[in-house]
Amino acid sequence: MKKQPGKPVTLAHIAAAAGVTPMTVSRVINESGYVNAATRERVRRVAREMNYRRNGLARGLKRQRTETIGLVLGDIANPFAAELSRGVREILEQRGYTLFICISEHSAKEDVQAFDSLADHRVDGVIVATRASRLGNERLQELIDAGIPVSLIGRDFRHPHADLVTADNLKGGYEATTHLIKLGHRRIGFIGVSLTKSVGLRRFQGYLEALNEHGLLIDEKLIVGNRDGNDQMPGYSTEEMGHDGMTKLLSMKKRPTAIFARNDFTAVGALNAIQQAGLSVPRDVGVVGYDDIPLASHTSPPLTTVRQPTREQGRVAAEFLLRRIEDGHDRPRAEQVFDCQLVVRESTKSDRIKS
Amino acid sequence: MKKQPGKPVTLAHIAAAAGVTPMTVSRVINESGYVNAATRERVRRVAREMNYRRNGLARGLKRQRTETIGLVLGDIANPFAAELSRGVREILEQRGYTLFICISEHSAKEDVQAFDSLADHRVDGVIVATRASRLGNERLQELIDAGIPVSLIGRDFRHPHADLVTADNLKGGYEATTHLIKLGHRRIGFIGVSLTKSVGLRRFQGYLEALNEHGLLIDEKLIVGNRDGNDQMPGYSTEEMGHDGMTKLLSMKKRPTAIFARNDFTAVGALNAIQQAGLSVPRDVGVVGYDDIPLASHTSPPLTTVRQPTREQGRVAAEFLLRRIEDGHDRPRAEQVFDCQLVVRESTKSDRIKS
DNA sequence: AATCAATATGTTAACGTTAACAGACTGCTT
DNA sequence: AAGCAGTCTGTTAACGTTAACATATTGATT
């Protein structure tokens, strides 16, 4: 018994078929107010038969909320984004909210587009997990000023009425680098940033800080990014960057004895380049990654890396957002910083360092 | 000059401030109909000043379309999903549609929830890229019957009014397995399915078919999945499955000389398990993966795998959907099958096979 | 000067839902 | 017998937008 896919069914249609008014049907659908048991059953049956789906547009328009949250991600290809969204969904689901995800492909322009789309469709709040950009920050500012609840994850942007969740990646980068220094390394490379633009990446700043603090010179030749100077590439293609960057470093007369990679994918690329060059990890070169993706414990050798509590960040960001939705725009900013944890595996085990 | 975040700005507010009617403002915003140049400028200025954002709910309600498309993905952590969504977005963007993504975490229940959420919020169409399930298929049927345009990617489900895009994974699995057979392998394992439930995975069927066709016995002991028999895990954690499965296979008295892994992540896990056991790839065990993720060319040894034109599938699915939105529900099903391509790398190079 | 097309703005009603209020009926208490 | 609380249903108006139609005004054409 296939329905003719004509105009979609409305409350009025059901009301007519069940011999009541749309309001009564509304009460049945939403389980609100008094409805006679017999009437309720009848309406339910008719609604089921007609395959009724409520119109979220009309509903949202009337009620002035959609029970919908937007999440803006830079890309979709990495476990980091997946864990984040999982954390967010865990919280939203149990509170009856629906999550819609937008991808910016790490472009400021699409970041803005995502904000606009979500705002236009009147989500009740937005969680932003993309990296800061001038354009993006400007629009974000407007969004927040317009009263849309916003919760930020790991984005270097502050607003008195937007909540913020971050991992302390400065400290993470610092500790990763210090770990290498303590193993005796003196020439430590960094793969994943281009010095052509000012670098806001916290883990990189931690790297610089650690070198400084231990009296090591910062050698710009040991810092490599990808060719076009775009440090906003989708995570999954950064293996390439790690491979190329490492190859470049290995071809130097005085090559580094260890490298710190911007993320685990980059580190895996580096790992491979080292092995291809006939060298061994960690004997010839020590490698540290970042993020502790599942793959990190399955490389050979397993990767030393820095873990951040990703899912937890998603959870907390969602909780902050819901609280702001309930309490209103004037609520002061909540902020939570999570500690990172150095995970030492085989890729840095050696203590025999060649100068 | 911060705006008070009171009630959001409406056409009426702007109209009042600019001394015109809401209709005129609407015309300015939508660039439709005649508006005097001076008026237009004035309205634009006021709208800009008041930081106006149009109300997509009201707009959608009135116009009976939202210029919005939903994409349902099983998980978010893998390059496959990323490429798919990129393809979809490429097409949608140039046609002025916005994409909202929902994640089902490979659960039938959440699959249904995603369909419902998207339908409730009146997206103009839905692209479904999750694996088939009874529950999911039932609801999908209802959606389509209700007249919502649906386009499917790689989902084993057919409906006269839903378009379908697939890669020929049966052939892909067949060719991968045949490749191993031609190299002389006779004991070929498969990692990634549990035989406790009927297996609909096409690439696995291709594996079975190839064995059959070459007169090889199918040994159920060589087919391993993960512990709990759930073959719908998020892609990113399947390294674990590959590792554990391979370890199990290696502990057999007559271990396989090659394995075909459900996807590249699984293959990487297997690779690692082999190396941990002190064996070598491809000398002792040949390994074939599936998907050709960027990582596959950066493992050691680089992975033989099967590539499918992922982004192209996304593009075509989006094109099918838009055409259906324009032409209406009655349009007959369009279907396109893409060929897969075996990519031979180092992980199967050997021809010295131990019996 | 009448006619016409193009330009510019306004009016009305509707999209589908629900909050707020208003009756009407029931049975129970005093 | 009046009063009252509880139950059930209905009416009205509004959420913000725009399609369709209506009304002016302008300038050019005959």
mmCIF file of all heavy atoms in Angstrom, chain C residues 8-23:
data_model
loop_
_atom_site.group_PDB
_atom_site.id
_atom_site.type_symbol
_atom_site.label_atom_id
_atom_site.label_comp_id
_atom_site.label_asym_id
_atom_site.label_seq_id
_atom_site.Cartn_x
_atom_site.Cartn_y
_atom_site.Cartn_z
ATOM 1 P P DA C 8 13.280 51.394 -10.670
ATOM 2 O OP1 DA C 8 14.082 52.603 -10.438
ATOM 3 O OP2 DA C 8 13.911 50.060 -10.674
ATOM 4 O "O5'" DA C 8 12.097 51.375 -9.608
ATOM 5 C "C5'" DA C 8 11.480 52.602 -9.275
ATOM 6 C "C4'" DA C 8 10.347 52.322 -8.324
ATOM 7 O "O4'" DA C 8 9.362 51.516 -8.980
ATOM 8 C "C3'" DA C 8 10.731 51.532 -7.070
ATOM 9 O "O3'" DA C 8 10.698 52.464 -5.973
ATOM 10 C "C2'" DA C 8 9.676 50.438 -6.943
ATOM 11 C "C1'" DA C 8 8.635 50.848 -7.973
ATOM 12 N N9 DA C 8 7.897 49.773 -8.631
ATOM 13 C C8 DA C 8 8.397 48.772 -9.430
ATOM 14 N N7 DA C 8 7.471 47.962 -9.912
ATOM 15 C C5 DA C 8 6.294 48.476 -9.395
ATOM 16 C C6 DA C 8 4.946 48.068 -9.534
ATOM 17 N N6 DA C 8 4.566 47.021 -10.270
ATOM 18 N N1 DA C 8 4.007 48.808 -8.885
ATOM 19 C C2 DA C 8 4.403 49.860 -8.158
ATOM 20 N N3 DA C 8 5.636 50.343 -7.953
ATOM 21 C C4 DA C 8 6.529 49.585 -8.610
ATOM 22 P P DT C 9 11.066 51.982 -4.501
ATOM 23 O OP1 DT C 9 11.361 53.197 -3.706
ATOM 24 O OP2 DT C 9 12.039 50.874 -4.603
ATOM 25 O "O5'" DT C 9 9.702 51.391 -3.992
ATOM 26 C "C5'" DT C 9 8.774 52.274 -3.399
ATOM 27 C "C4'" DT C 9 7.469 51.570 -3.223
ATOM 28 O "O4'" DT C 9 7.208 50.690 -4.335
ATOM 29 C "C3'" DT C 9 7.383 50.641 -2.022
ATOM 30 O "O3'" DT C 9 6.881 51.385 -0.930
ATOM 31 C "C2'" DT C 9 6.431 49.532 -2.476
ATOM 32 C "C1'" DT C 9 6.146 49.859 -3.929
ATOM 33 N N1 DT C 9 6.050 48.687 -4.830
ATOM 34 C C2 DT C 9 4.808 48.219 -5.166
ATOM 35 O O2 DT C 9 3.777 48.707 -4.750
ATOM 36 N N3 DT C 9 4.785 47.133 -6.011
ATOM 37 C C4 DT C 9 5.890 46.496 -6.556
ATOM 38 O O4 DT C 9 5.750 45.550 -7.303
ATOM 39 C C5 DT C 9 7.163 47.041 -6.172
ATOM 40 C C7 DT C 9 8.425 46.434 -6.699
ATOM 41 C C6 DT C 9 7.192 48.095 -5.333
ATOM 42 P P DG C 10 6.615 50.731 0.506
ATOM 43 O OP1 DG C 10 6.561 51.803 1.524
ATOM 44 O OP2 DG C 10 7.548 49.610 0.643
ATOM 45 O "O5'" DG C 10 5.130 50.167 0.309
ATOM 46 C "C5'" DG C 10 4.145 51.012 -0.273
ATOM 47 C "C4'" DG C 10 2.854 50.236 -0.434
ATOM 48 O "O4'" DG C 10 2.996 49.315 -1.540
ATOM 49 C "C3'" DG C 10 2.470 49.397 0.778
ATOM 50 O "O3'" DG C 10 1.120 49.685 1.135
ATOM 51 C "C2'" DG C 10 2.619 47.959 0.307
ATOM 52 C "C1'" DG C 10 2.429 48.075 -1.189
ATOM 53 N N9 DG C 10 3.119 47.040 -1.937
ATOM 54 C C8 DG C 10 4.483 46.870 -2.058
ATOM 55 N N7 DG C 10 4.812 45.852 -2.801
ATOM 56 C C5 DG C 10 3.598 45.305 -3.187
ATOM 57 C C6 DG C 10 3.314 44.171 -4.002
ATOM 58 O O6 DG C 10 4.107 43.415 -4.553
ATOM 59 N N1 DG C 10 1.934 43.970 -4.138
ATOM 60 C C2 DG C 10 0.970 44.750 -3.567
ATOM 61 N N2 DG C 10 -0.296 44.399 -3.804
ATOM 62 N N3 DG C 10 1.205 45.809 -2.810
ATOM 63 C C4 DG C 10 2.554 46.027 -2.669
ATOM 64 P P DT C 11 0.492 49.111 2.489
ATOM 65 O OP1 DT C 11 -0.420 50.113 3.051
ATOM 66 O OP2 DT C 11 1.583 48.559 3.311
ATOM 67 O "O5'" DT C 11 -0.380 47.901 1.940
ATOM 68 C "C5'" DT C 11 -1.373 48.149 0.963
ATOM 69 C "C4'" DT C 11 -2.176 46.871 0.713
ATOM 70 O "O4'" DT C 11 -1.402 45.959 -0.094
ATOM 71 C "C3'" DT C 11 -2.564 46.106 1.976
ATOM 72 O "O3'" DT C 11 -3.937 45.755 1.868
ATOM 73 C "C2'" DT C 11 -1.638 44.895 1.981
ATOM 74 C "C1'" DT C 11 -1.400 44.671 0.482
ATOM 75 N N1 DT C 11 -0.081 44.063 0.120
ATOM 76 C C2 DT C 11 -0.042 42.978 -0.720
ATOM 77 O O2 DT C 11 -1.030 42.454 -1.183
ATOM 78 N N3 DT C 11 1.224 42.519 -1.018
ATOM 79 C C4 DT C 11 2.410 43.029 -0.559
ATOM 80 O O4 DT C 11 3.485 42.547 -0.899
ATOM 81 C C5 DT C 11 2.309 44.157 0.333
ATOM 82 C C7 DT C 11 3.538 44.777 0.894
ATOM 83 C C6 DT C 11 1.087 44.627 0.627
ATOM 84 P P DT C 12 -4.729 45.074 3.091
ATOM 85 O OP1 DT C 12 -6.136 45.505 2.980
ATOM 86 O OP2 DT C 12 -3.972 45.272 4.346
ATOM 87 O "O5'" DT C 12 -4.668 43.532 2.682
ATOM 88 C "C5'" DT C 12 -5.033 43.176 1.349
ATOM 89 C "C4'" DT C 12 -4.833 41.686 1.147
ATOM 90 O "O4'" DT C 12 -3.458 41.407 0.807
ATOM 91 C "C3'" DT C 12 -5.162 40.823 2.359
ATOM 92 O "O3'" DT C 12 -6.070 39.831 1.940
ATOM 93 C "C2'" DT C 12 -3.804 40.255 2.804
ATOM 94 C "C1'" DT C 12 -3.030 40.244 1.495
ATOM 95 N N1 DT C 12 -1.548 40.337 1.590
ATOM 96 C C2 DT C 12 -0.778 39.570 0.759
ATOM 97 O O2 DT C 12 -1.246 38.807 -0.058
ATOM 98 N N3 DT C 12 0.584 39.735 0.905
ATOM 99 C C4 DT C 12 1.221 40.565 1.800
ATOM 100 O O4 DT C 12 2.439 40.627 1.837
ATOM 101 C C5 DT C 12 0.352 41.338 2.656
ATOM 102 C C7 DT C 12 0.954 42.272 3.670
ATOM 103 C C6 DT C 12 -0.975 41.190 2.517
ATOM 104 P P DA C 13 -6.845 38.901 3.032
ATOM 105 O OP1 DA C 13 -8.240 38.752 2.582
ATOM 106 O OP2 DA C 13 -6.540 39.365 4.400
ATOM 107 O "O5'" DA C 13 -6.091 37.517 2.783
ATOM 108 C "C5'" DA C 13 -5.866 37.110 1.433
ATOM 109 C "C4'" DA C 13 -4.852 35.989 1.409
ATOM 110 O "O4'" DA C 13 -3.521 36.526 1.637
ATOM 111 C "C3'" DA C 13 -5.067 34.922 2.486
ATOM 112 O "O3'" DA C 13 -4.925 33.666 1.864
ATOM 113 C "C2'" DA C 13 -3.954 35.187 3.497
ATOM 114 C "C1'" DA C 13 -2.857 35.712 2.588
ATOM 115 N N9 DA C 13 -1.845 36.533 3.242
ATOM 116 C C8 DA C 13 -2.009 37.430 4.260
ATOM 117 N N7 DA C 13 -0.897 38.035 4.623
ATOM 118 C C5 DA C 13 0.067 37.496 3.789
ATOM 119 C C6 DA C 13 1.445 37.715 3.673
ATOM 120 N N6 DA C 13 2.123 38.588 4.427
ATOM 121 N N1 DA C 13 2.111 37.016 2.733
ATOM 122 C C2 DA C 13 1.423 36.140 1.977
ATOM 123 N N3 DA C 13 0.122 35.851 1.992
ATOM 124 C C4 DA C 13 -0.496 36.566 2.929
ATOM 125 P P DA C 14 -5.684 32.405 2.521
ATOM 126 O OP1 DA C 14 -6.641 31.893 1.523
ATOM 127 O OP2 DA C 14 -6.107 32.751 3.898
ATOM 128 O "O5'" DA C 14 -4.483 31.375 2.630
ATOM 129 C "C5'" DA C 14 -3.682 31.115 1.491
ATOM 130 C "C4'" DA C 14 -2.288 30.824 1.941
ATOM 131 O "O4'" DA C 14 -1.710 32.013 2.520
ATOM 132 C "C3'" DA C 14 -2.185 29.757 3.032
ATOM 133 O "O3'" DA C 14 -1.673 28.580 2.445
ATOM 134 C "C2'" DA C 14 -1.212 30.334 4.059
ATOM 135 C "C1'" DA C 14 -0.706 31.604 3.408
ATOM 136 N N9 DA C 14 -0.437 32.698 4.328
ATOM 137 C C8 DA C 14 -1.293 33.325 5.188
ATOM 138 N N7 DA C 14 -0.735 34.294 5.882
ATOM 139 C C5 DA C 14 0.582 34.303 5.443
ATOM 140 C C6 DA C 14 1.702 35.093 5.781
ATOM 141 N N6 DA C 14 1.664 36.069 6.684
ATOM 142 N N1 DA C 14 2.864 34.836 5.141
ATOM 143 C C2 DA C 14 2.896 33.849 4.233
ATOM 144 N N3 DA C 14 1.924 33.045 3.831
ATOM 145 C C4 DA C 14 0.782 33.328 4.477
ATOM 146 P P DC C 15 -1.815 27.212 3.220
ATOM 147 O OP1 DC C 15 -2.446 26.265 2.290
ATOM 148 O OP2 DC C 15 -2.396 27.458 4.559
ATOM 149 O "O5'" DC C 15 -0.308 26.782 3.477
ATOM 150 C "C5'" DC C 15 0.671 26.786 2.473
ATOM 151 C "C4'" DC C 15 2.028 26.801 3.129
ATOM 152 O "O4'" DC C 15 2.296 28.138 3.579
ATOM 153 C "C3'" DC C 15 2.077 25.955 4.396
ATOM 154 O "O3'" DC C 15 2.543 24.646 4.057
ATOM 155 C "C2'" DC C 15 3.074 26.691 5.290
ATOM 156 C "C1'" DC C 15 3.158 28.092 4.683
ATOM 157 N N1 DC C 15 2.745 29.219 5.584
ATOM 158 C C2 DC C 15 3.631 30.270 5.818
ATOM 159 O O2 DC C 15 4.745 30.262 5.281
ATOM 160 N N3 DC C 15 3.239 31.298 6.623
ATOM 161 C C4 DC C 15 2.025 31.280 7.176
ATOM 162 N N4 DC C 15 1.691 32.315 7.958
ATOM 163 C C5 DC C 15 1.119 30.216 6.949
ATOM 164 C C6 DC C 15 1.513 29.211 6.167
ATOM 165 P P DG C 16 1.613 23.374 4.497
ATOM 166 O OP1 DG C 16 2.177 22.199 3.833
ATOM 167 O OP2 DG C 16 0.187 23.711 4.355
ATOM 168 O "O5'" DG C 16 1.925 23.275 6.054
ATOM 169 C "C5'" DG C 16 3.220 22.862 6.459
ATOM 170 C "C4'" DG C 16 3.347 22.981 7.953
ATOM 171 O "O4'" DG C 16 3.131 24.352 8.329
ATOM 172 C "C3'" DG C 16 2.328 22.148 8.734
ATOM 173 O "O3'" DG C 16 3.064 21.368 9.661
ATOM 174 C "C2'" DG C 16 1.441 23.187 9.407
ATOM 175 C "C1'" DG C 16 2.362 24.396 9.509
ATOM 176 N N9 DG C 16 1.700 25.695 9.519
ATOM 177 C C8 DG C 16 0.587 26.071 8.816
ATOM 178 N N7 DG C 16 0.239 27.316 9.027
ATOM 179 C C5 DG C 16 1.180 27.791 9.921
ATOM 180 C C6 DG C 16 1.319 29.074 10.518
ATOM 181 O O6 DG C 16 0.608 30.070 10.347
ATOM 182 N N1 DG C 16 2.417 29.132 11.367
ATOM 183 C C2 DG C 16 3.268 28.076 11.613
ATOM 184 N N2 DG C 16 4.272 28.314 12.446
ATOM 185 N N3 DG C 16 3.154 26.867 11.065
ATOM 186 C C4 DG C 16 2.093 26.800 10.238
ATOM 187 P P DT C 17 2.386 20.468 10.791
ATOM 188 O OP1 DT C 17 3.235 19.277 11.023
ATOM 189 O OP2 DT C 17 0.951 20.301 10.515
ATOM 190 O "O5'" DT C 17 2.552 21.408 12.050
ATOM 191 C "C5'" DT C 17 3.855 21.664 12.548
ATOM 192 C "C4'" DT C 17 3.840 22.817 13.517
ATOM 193 O "O4'" DT C 17 3.082 23.902 12.943
ATOM 194 C "C3'" DT C 17 3.143 22.530 14.842
ATOM 195 O "O3'" DT C 17 4.144 22.120 15.769
ATOM 196 C "C2'" DT C 17 2.544 23.864 15.237
ATOM 197 C "C1'" DT C 17 2.704 24.759 14.008
ATOM 198 N N1 DT C 17 1.474 25.478 13.573
ATOM 199 C C2 DT C 17 1.281 26.768 14.003
ATOM 200 O O2 DT C 17 2.041 27.353 14.736
ATOM 201 N N3 DT C 17 0.140 27.353 13.538
ATOM 202 C C4 DT C 17 -0.808 26.785 12.695
ATOM 203 O O4 DT C 17 -1.796 27.414 12.342
ATOM 204 C C5 DT C 17 -0.540 25.429 12.296
ATOM 205 C C7 DT C 17 -1.498 24.703 11.383
ATOM 206 C C6 DT C 17 0.574 24.838 12.743
ATOM 207 P P DT C 18 3.652 21.589 17.221
ATOM 208 O OP1 DT C 18 4.834 20.982 17.832
ATOM 209 O OP2 DT C 18 2.396 20.829 17.105
ATOM 210 O "O5'" DT C 18 3.304 22.951 17.978
ATOM 211 C "C5'" DT C 18 4.358 23.825 18.340
ATOM 212 C "C4'" DT C 18 3.777 25.024 19.058
ATOM 213 O "O4'" DT C 18 2.780 25.647 18.216
ATOM 214 C "C3'" DT C 18 3.071 24.697 20.373
ATOM 215 O "O3'" DT C 18 3.376 25.749 21.272
ATOM 216 C "C2'" DT C 18 1.600 24.745 19.999
ATOM 217 C "C1'" DT C 18 1.613 25.870 18.984
ATOM 218 N N1 DT C 18 0.474 25.924 18.024
ATOM 219 C C2 DT C 18 -0.110 27.142 17.769
ATOM 220 O O2 DT C 18 0.245 28.173 18.287
ATOM 221 N N3 DT C 18 -1.152 27.097 16.863
ATOM 222 C C4 DT C 18 -1.643 25.979 16.205
ATOM 223 O O4 DT C 18 -2.582 26.065 15.409
ATOM 224 C C5 DT C 18 -0.973 24.736 16.524
ATOM 225 C C7 DT C 18 -1.426 23.466 15.867
ATOM 226 C C6 DT C 18 0.035 24.762 17.407
ATOM 227 P P DA C 19 3.610 25.384 22.793
ATOM 228 O OP1 DA C 19 5.015 24.964 22.950
ATOM 229 O OP2 DA C 19 2.518 24.495 23.250
ATOM 230 O "O5'" DA C 19 3.400 26.793 23.494
ATOM 231 C "C5'" DA C 19 4.013 27.958 22.971
ATOM 232 C "C4'" DA C 19 3.236 29.185 23.384
ATOM 233 O "O4'" DA C 19 2.081 29.355 22.510
ATOM 234 C "C3'" DA C 19 2.682 29.149 24.799
ATOM 235 O "O3'" DA C 19 2.718 30.478 25.300
ATOM 236 C "C2'" DA C 19 1.239 28.653 24.607
ATOM 237 C "C1'" DA C 19 0.879 29.261 23.246
ATOM 238 N N9 DA C 19 -0.018 28.443 22.429
ATOM 239 C C8 DA C 19 0.005 27.094 22.252
ATOM 240 N N7 DA C 19 -0.906 26.645 21.417
ATOM 241 C C5 DA C 19 -1.581 27.779 21.018
ATOM 242 C C6 DA C 19 -2.665 27.988 20.143
ATOM 243 N N6 DA C 19 -3.281 27.005 19.464
ATOM 244 N N1 DA C 19 -3.106 29.250 19.958
ATOM 245 C C2 DA C 19 -2.484 30.248 20.624
ATOM 246 N N3 DA C 19 -1.451 30.176 21.477
ATOM 247 C C4 DA C 19 -1.045 28.900 21.633
ATOM 248 P P DA C 20 2.328 30.793 26.799
ATOM 249 O OP1 DA C 20 3.188 31.923 27.226
ATOM 250 O OP2 DA C 20 2.269 29.549 27.580
ATOM 251 O "O5'" DA C 20 0.841 31.337 26.625
ATOM 252 C "C5'" DA C 20 0.588 32.368 25.678
ATOM 253 C "C4'" DA C 20 -0.889 32.678 25.659
ATOM 254 O "O4'" DA C 20 -1.559 31.752 24.778
ATOM 255 C "C3'" DA C 20 -1.570 32.553 27.025
ATOM 256 O "O3'" DA C 20 -2.355 33.711 27.251
ATOM 257 C "C2'" DA C 20 -2.417 31.288 26.907
ATOM 258 C "C1'" DA C 20 -2.726 31.277 25.407
ATOM 259 N N9 DA C 20 -3.010 29.954 24.862
ATOM 260 C C8 DA C 20 -2.409 28.762 25.178
ATOM 261 N N7 DA C 20 -2.873 27.729 24.506
ATOM 262 C C5 DA C 20 -3.854 28.287 23.695
ATOM 263 C C6 DA C 20 -4.726 27.720 22.741
ATOM 264 N N6 DA C 20 -4.744 26.421 22.431
ATOM 265 N N1 DA C 20 -5.583 28.548 22.100
ATOM 266 C C2 DA C 20 -5.566 29.856 22.408
ATOM 267 N N3 DA C 20 -4.786 30.502 23.286
ATOM 268 C C4 DA C 20 -3.952 29.651 23.897
ATOM 269 P P DC C 21 -3.069 33.953 28.673
ATOM 270 O OP1 DC C 21 -2.893 35.379 28.983
ATOM 271 O OP2 DC C 21 -2.654 32.904 29.617
ATOM 272 O "O5'" DC C 21 -4.602 33.715 28.293
ATOM 273 C "C5'" DC C 21 -5.109 34.337 27.109
ATOM 274 C "C4'" DC C 21 -6.340 33.597 26.671
ATOM 275 O "O4'" DC C 21 -5.992 32.285 26.209
ATOM 276 C "C3'" DC C 21 -7.384 33.385 27.770
ATOM 277 O "O3'" DC C 21 -8.511 34.194 27.492
ATOM 278 C "C2'" DC C 21 -7.686 31.884 27.736
ATOM 279 C "C1'" DC C 21 -7.130 31.482 26.365
ATOM 280 N N1 DC C 21 -6.737 30.056 26.286
ATOM 281 C C2 DC C 21 -7.333 29.239 25.316
ATOM 282 O O2 DC C 21 -8.173 29.738 24.549
ATOM 283 N N3 DC C 21 -6.990 27.932 25.247
ATOM 284 C C4 DC C 21 -6.083 27.443 26.085
ATOM 285 N N4 DC C 21 -5.763 26.145 25.971
ATOM 286 C C5 DC C 21 -5.454 28.256 27.078
ATOM 287 C C6 DC C 21 -5.805 29.540 27.142
ATOM 288 P P DA C 22 -9.797 34.114 28.447
ATOM 289 O OP1 DA C 22 -10.462 35.444 28.388
ATOM 290 O OP2 DA C 22 -9.430 33.510 29.751
ATOM 291 O "O5'" DA C 22 -10.710 33.069 27.666
ATOM 292 C "C5'" DA C 22 -10.929 33.216 26.256
ATOM 293 C "C4'" DA C 22 -11.983 32.215 25.843
ATOM 294 O "O4'" DA C 22 -11.374 30.908 25.693
ATOM 295 C "C3'" DA C 22 -13.095 32.039 26.884
ATOM 296 O "O3'" DA C 22 -14.311 31.832 26.208
ATOM 297 C "C2'" DA C 22 -12.654 30.799 27.655
ATOM 298 C "C1'" DA C 22 -12.031 29.984 26.524
ATOM 299 N N9 DA C 22 -11.063 28.991 26.948
ATOM 300 C C8 DA C 22 -10.061 29.132 27.862
ATOM 301 N N7 DA C 22 -9.338 28.051 28.034
ATOM 302 C C5 DA C 22 -9.903 27.129 27.174
ATOM 303 C C6 DA C 22 -9.596 25.790 26.879
ATOM 304 N N6 DA C 22 -8.593 25.129 27.463
ATOM 305 N N1 DA C 22 -10.354 25.161 25.970
ATOM 306 C C2 DA C 22 -11.362 25.832 25.392
ATOM 307 N N3 DA C 22 -11.748 27.093 25.578
ATOM 308 C C4 DA C 22 -10.960 27.690 26.494
ATOM 309 P P DG C 23 -15.693 32.404 26.861
ATOM 310 O OP1 DG C 23 -16.103 33.525 26.043
ATOM 311 O OP2 DG C 23 -15.530 32.543 28.336
ATOM 312 O "O5'" DG C 23 -16.694 31.189 26.633
ATOM 313 C "C5'" DG C 23 -16.392 29.982 27.266
ATOM 314 C "C4'" DG C 23 -16.750 28.859 26.330
ATOM 315 O "O4'" DG C 23 -15.579 28.033 26.201
ATOM 316 C "C3'" DG C 23 -17.847 28.018 26.937
ATOM 317 O "O3'" DG C 23 -18.656 27.461 25.934
ATOM 318 C "C2'" DG C 23 -17.071 26.939 27.698
ATOM 319 C "C1'" DG C 23 -15.790 26.809 26.880
ATOM 320 N N9 DG C 23 -14.615 26.553 27.730
ATOM 321 C C8 DG C 23 -14.004 27.400 28.614
ATOM 322 N N7 DG C 23 -12.970 26.861 29.223
ATOM 323 C C5 DG C 23 -12.899 25.578 28.692
ATOM 324 C C6 DG C 23 -11.988 24.525 28.963
ATOM 325 O O6 DG C 23 -11.041 24.521 29.726
ATOM 326 N N1 DG C 23 -12.291 23.401 28.201
ATOM 327 C C2 DG C 23 -13.333 23.295 27.303
ATOM 328 N N2 DG C 23 -13.462 22.144 26.671
ATOM 329 N N3 DG C 23 -14.179 24.271 27.038
ATOM 330 C C4 DG C 23 -13.900 25.376 27.768
#
